[in-house]
Structure formats: structure tokens, C-alpha cells
Amino acid sequence: MQSVQITGNSQRKVKDGYPLLVEEDLKDPSLRLTDGSFVRLMASSQFMGYALIAKHRRQLGWVLSLDETQTPTPDYFRKLFKQALIRRETSIDGRLPHRVFNAAGDGLGGVTIDRYGDYYVFTWYAEGVYQQRDMIYAAFETATDHQFKGIYAKLRFNVEEANLKSQLVTGTEAPEPLLVTEGEVTYPVNLKDDLTTGLLLDMRPIRDWIASAELQGKTVLNLFSQENGITAAAAVAGAAKTISIETNKKGATATAEQLAMNNIDPDKHEIRTIEANRYLDYTEKHHLSYDVVVVTAPTFARIKKQKFQVATDLTALLTQALPTVRRDGQLVVATTANNFSMNKFKEAVTAAFDESDRQFTITETFRLPADFVTRKAYLASNYLKVLVLTLDK
């Protein structure tokens, strides 16, 4: 195993538990390191930790164990996965679709593992980590005592063959769709389709809040609704009508399928394929308003000639959305931008009210659910921020 000298600043970060390596952490940035290799991080003759080289954009790799006796062997990864599985036994209802391994939060950046019923889905974000897949898959299978029906892989880095982006790794194929439940709501997910499954697991706090809200007779506008599952949760909770704004026909079809799967007639709800800002123009023109408006703004989106960046465009979007929220209504705002702190997020939300006569109270604040384990030393891992605002109460 190659030994690599790291800088003084990097030594402090590694010791404090910061897991991400960049080229500037190396004393010799020109040093050639093989993607997918394990290295020993050193401060002169002092051992600092093991790392896996996984080059992705500005990232160089991920720090593993800081204990020199814990070398990155199959048994090391088996124990890592076993610890993650045990942690979820005490923090999450195992019947829910949930995350069983959350990348750097659980000790290995560049890969996440989600569970849907009797199936696991590995999502790989860096080719260097993926190069160790045989050992990682074997370690995970041993950690689970082979108690699953199948394992799927989704590759989020560039691969030449499209059929590799989503594939069955081992076991039997899952039904299409595979049905999973959260409380009273059933969601169809597609494990072999595309790079996602059709249900964003990190959005569960919003779905839980919607499912427990008093929605009888109320209307719910769900902007950027693709894959957040909020429309189905609202309809099952008794909303008189939901309005879902999708950016493409595939998302609209998926929302209709979620409603139908819960014995709800999609035709009695409104599903539109239109950009969010164009729909808000329409609501202004026709003086439309709703009891609950949900804005799960993307970190970045490009639609036709327009682009949206949450860090710069969120305030303008919310300013446009405010008139759609009825008096005593609620505005739910969420972002998954990992470079947007909670303080900055609150500032962007508050700024939307600067030129408005509307008042608000923050009645709920949510972060990632418990199965999305994070590291205090790595703030970017705790990326979800959700505010529930009650207006003009």
C-alpha cells in the first residue's frame, strides 16, 4: 500500500474526522495516485489514516479508518456495514424504505445503500469507489447474512454503456413496480429504471408532516413535485385537491401512478407539466391560492433556456409563490443544497417577505431523517433543510 504525505492543514482535518480528500491535501500535489487504490496517509513518519482514492471533480478520495490496525480488508468493510445495519435497527422502522448506509456519514464516501422491502440499492458516485465493488458487495452480503432477494446498482458517474447505469447485481429481479409503504401511503418504485427509484427517501420528514396535517377539505400545491411523494401523502391525508407541478411528462405519469396506487382517482387532482415560475404566473393572473404550498426547490435545474440555482434564485421564487398561500395557510420550503447553510437558507426565505405585507411564523424545522447518518465534522453531509411557515396567523 502506497504511503502519502499530507499537509499540516490536512492532518488537522483528518484528525478531526473530516472525510474528504482533495489534491491540495497532498504535500506533493503532482503525485500520481491510482484511482480505486488504498493509500496510507502520513505526517512524516506518523500514521494518520487509510484512504480510498476516488477522483471525482475536485475530490481526490475518502478517508477511512484512523486506526492503523484497521486496514481496509473485506472484514473491515463487513464490520462497517454491520455497524450501520445495527444503527438503523434502533433509529428506523425497518418496514419503511430507508437508507442503510449513508456514504461518509457511515464511514465510506462515494456510495449509499437504500433498502426497499427485500431489496437493496447501491448508488455509486465515484468510479474509484466502484472499482472496489467486488469486495464491498461481498462484505455487505456477509453483513446481512445474505437476507435479501436482490441487490441493484445505480452508477451516477459517467459510464460509456447506458445499460450499466442501472443493473441487477445479484439475486432475483424486483417486481416492476415494487410497492413500498410509509404509514398509510403506498408508493410504487422502480429499482431497475433510470438512476433513481421514483421516491426520494430524504424527503420523508415532509411526507410525514403532510400525512399528519389536518388537510380535510384543503388544497395543496406541490411545486417541483417529481419524486418527492408529497402529492400522494397529501391526498391520502384527506386533501380535497392537490396540484402537482412537474417539469416533464415522465414525472407527471409517476405522480398519477402514485395516486392510483392509493385508490385515488388522478383525474380528480391536477397534474401539470410546466415550469414552476410559469405556473406561478398563471396563478397570479387567475388569482389562485391554496391552503398549503410546498416548494422543494432543486439545487440546480436547467429547463430549456432557463436555469435555477437555489443559492441565488430561491428568494425570487418564494416572492412569486407568496400570493398563492392563503391567510393562515402554510408554506413549506426545502432545499438539499449542501453549500447552503441553515442560516443562509433562513435569510433567503425571510428576504422573500421584505417587500410583502405578509407575516410568518416558523412552526416546524426539519433536517435529514435519522437513517441519513451525518458527520459533525463534515457539514455538507447534513444537507436537507426544511422550514414550515404559517402565514398571517
Side-chain angles (χ1 to χ4, degrees), residues 53-81:
I53 301 303
K55 302 172 184 178
H56 181 66
R57 297 173 183 166
R58 288 194 65 253
Q59 300 175 6
L60 177 63
W62 296 96
V63 179
L64 302 173
S65 172
L66 305 186
D67 184 341
E68 193 169 9
T69 65
Q70 295 180 348
T71 54
T73 63
D75 193 56
Y76 168 79
F77 288 106
R78 179 193 65 79
K79 291 178 180 177
L80 198 67
F81 292 134

Side-chain angles (χ1 to χ4, degrees), residues 4-282:
V4 177
Q5 294 291 328
I6 57 177
T7 66
N9 285 338
S10 179
Q11 293 166 27
R12 286 188 287 273
K13 290 193 301 182
V14 169
K15 188 176 181 180
D16 289 341
Y18 189 80
L20 179 63
L21 287 178
V22 295
E23 288 187 359
E24 290 78 7
D25 290 322
L26 305 182
K27 274 198 170 181
D28 180 6
S30 65
L31 187 65
R32 291 188 177 184
L33 298 174
T34 303
D35 207 24
S37 66
F38 295 108
V39 298
R40 185 183 290 105
L41 303 177
M42 304 294 294
S44 297
S45 60
Q46 181 184 359
F47 172 83
M48 297 300 299
Y50 295 107
L52 172 57
I53 301 303
K55 302 172 184 178
H56 181 66
R57 297 173 183 166
R58 288 194 65 253
Q59 300 175 6
L60 177 63
W62 296 96
V63 179
L64 302 173
S65 172
L66 305 186
D67 184 341
E68 193 169 9
T69 65
Q70 295 180 348
T71 54
T73 63
D75 193 56
Y76 168 79
F77 288 106
R78 179 193 65 79
K79 291 178 180 177
L80 198 67
F81 292 134
K82 194 68 176 180
Q83 289 170 357
L85 291 165
I86 292 172
R87 187 178 291 131
R88 270 66 179 186
E89 289 178 359
T90 60
S91 65
I92 190 75
D93 183 344
R95 295 169 294 182
L96 290 171
H98 63 279
R99 179 147 296 180
V100 299
F101 190 86
N102 195 37
D106 280 301
L108 175 59
V111 61
T112 61
I113 309 172
D114 296 322
R115 181 173 183 173
Y116 299 87
D118 294 321
Y119 292 86
Y120 291 99
V121 177
F122 281 65
T123 302
W124 303 87
Y125 294 91
E127 187 174 0
V129 183
Y130 186 66
Q131 287 184 16
Q132 294 292 342
R133 63 191 178 279
D134 290 342
M135 179 171 63
I136 290 172
Y137 284 140
F140 183 77
E141 291 181 37
T142 303
T144 60
D145 297 323
H146 302 272
Q147 297 300 305
F148 55 82
K149 288 185 178 179
I151 291 177
Y152 281 81
K154 295 184 182 294
L155 277 55
R156 298 299 293 267
F157 56 88
N158 291 331
V159 290
E160 292 183 1
E161 296 182 47
N163 64 326
L164 292 179
K165 285 189 173 293
S166 188
Q167 57 185 295
L168 177 68
V169 176
T170 188
T172 59
E173 288 194 350
E176 291 292 329
L178 175 67
L179 303 184
V180 297
T181 59
E182 286 184 356
E184 302 298 319
V185 189
T186 298
Y187 292 100
V189 296
N190 298 281
L191 303 191
K192 68 178 181 181
D193 182 41
D194 208 352
L195 292 180
T196 61
T197 64
L199 182 67
L200 295 171
L201 300 187
D202 52 7
M203 290 290 170
R204 191 188 316 119
I206 307 179
R207 292 193 294 271
D208 288 346
W209 180 84
I210 286 283
S212 61
E214 295 292 335
L215 295 181
Q216 292 293 332
K218 294 185 177 181
T219 54
V220 178
L221 172 62
N222 183 14
L223 296 174
F224 304 103
S225 59
Q226 187 174 3
E227 299 186 7
N228 64 24
I230 290 167
T231 293
V236 171
K241 186 177 182 179
T242 63
I243 300 88
S244 302
I245 305 306
E246 305 280 0
T247 57
N248 56 60
K249 291 182 178 179
K250 182 179 179 180
T253 300
T255 298
E257 289 175 350
Q258 289 180 358
L259 290 170
M261 198 61 65
N262 289 279
N263 298 314
I264 296 168
D265 185 355
D267 292 337
K268 294 183 178 180
H269 295 259
E270 193 173 335
I271 304 172
R272 293 198 173 206
T273 305
I274 186 174
E275 292 92 339
N277 62 335
R278 286 184 58 203
Y279 182 74
L280 292 174
D281 288 339
Y282 172 83

Side-chain angles (χ1 to χ4, degrees), residues 376-388:
K376 289 183 178 180
Y378 187 43
L379 296 178
S381 65
N382 195 10
Y383 57 85
L384 180 68
K385 293 161 280 286
V386 183
L387 299 177
V388 179

